Amino acid sequence: MRPDVAFVYVRDLIERMTGARPEPDHDGDLPVHLHGAQFFVRIVGPVNPWVQVFSVAVAELKPTPELMTMLNEINSHIHFARAFHVGSQVIIESEIWADDVTPANFLYACQNVAAATDAFAPRILEQFGGRPLFEESKTDAYVQAELPLGPLGSRQLPDDDSIPGPRTEASPYL
């Protein structure tokens, strides 16, 4: 699938799912307001493109070695998504091959990103500060549906505010 075809398909899908046709922002990303929160979508790659679905978990945040260590630890606890720092933001992102985008796996990617953002953004904010853009985007309609095999489904997070250490169990997805 060509990137332009993927863009049209994904844009039409978003319109069908939300009732609003998204217009690209200044970065070329499609803003998506779904289930009461804001996500962004980007088509990447000139050949065999993929679709990035992401949230801006925390903005206005400077990179530090301690933040990078925390993001690495977070990444050891989420499935089908990743957390990283770019510019002055911590992004939580999931990817789908453009050829494989369906309403179901697009929604799953959004739910996966939302669950990981809800789980980890408060800890990042508490330790490093910043601005909680995903949290600020939420409306009263926000719904974080349970994921049957979600990003945290096979992992027990501690009740305290510490980030768990590296996982020792094998991923059920391997």
Side-chain angles (χ1 to χ4, degrees):
M1 178 180 299
R2 295 186 337 242
D4 58 330
V5 174
F7 179 86
V8 169
Y9 173 76
V10 169
R11 187 180 196 187
D12 290 348
L13 174 67
I14 293 167
E15 183 176 14
R16 285 193 312 272
M17 292 178 78
T18 66
R21 186 165 185 80
E23 293 299 326
D25 65 11
H26 64 281
D27 292 326
D29 302 325
L30 294 172
V32 180
H33 298 276
L34 186 65
H35 293 280
Q38 184 170 31
F39 302 89
F40 296 91
V41 175
R42 177 180 295 166
I43 311 302
V44 181
V47 178
N48 296 320
W50 61 96
V51 177
Q52 295 174 331
V53 177
F54 63 95
S55 71
V56 179
V58 182
E60 301 172 12
L61 188 59
K62 294 183 180 186
T64 65
E66 295 81 11
L67 175 62
M68 298 306 138
T69 297
M70 179 182 273
L71 294 177
N72 189 48
E73 291 171 358
I74 289 169
N75 284 326
S76 73
H77 290 278
I78 56 179
H79 299 296
F80 301 111
R82 65 176 167 247
F84 57 94
H85 184 275
V86 62
S88 63
Q89 302 172 330
V90 169
I91 304 294
I92 297 185
E93 170 190 275
S94 184
E95 295 178 336
I96 310 166
W97 285 112
D99 286 340
D100 294 337
V101 174
T102 66
N105 66 19
F106 182 82
L107 180 59
Y108 185 85
C110 290
Q111 291 173 329
N112 202 17
V113 167
T117 304
D118 285 344
F120 296 110
R123 297 171 186 188
I124 295 168
L125 283 163
E126 183 178 317
Q127 189 165 345
F128 301 102
R131 184 173 168 206
L133 285 189
F134 184 74
E135 188 66 31
E136 290 176 5
S137 80
K138 292 178 183 176
T139 68
D140 290 340
Y142 180 69
V143 174
Q144 175 47 53
E146 287 296 318
L147 298 173
L149 300 170
L152 309 172
S154 67
R155 302 197 171 101
Q156 294 298 325
L157 295 179
D159 291 333
D160 63 12
D161 291 332
S162 65
I163 295 292
R167 68 178 195 243
T168 56
E169 76 281 0
S171 170
Y173 301 102
L174 296 177

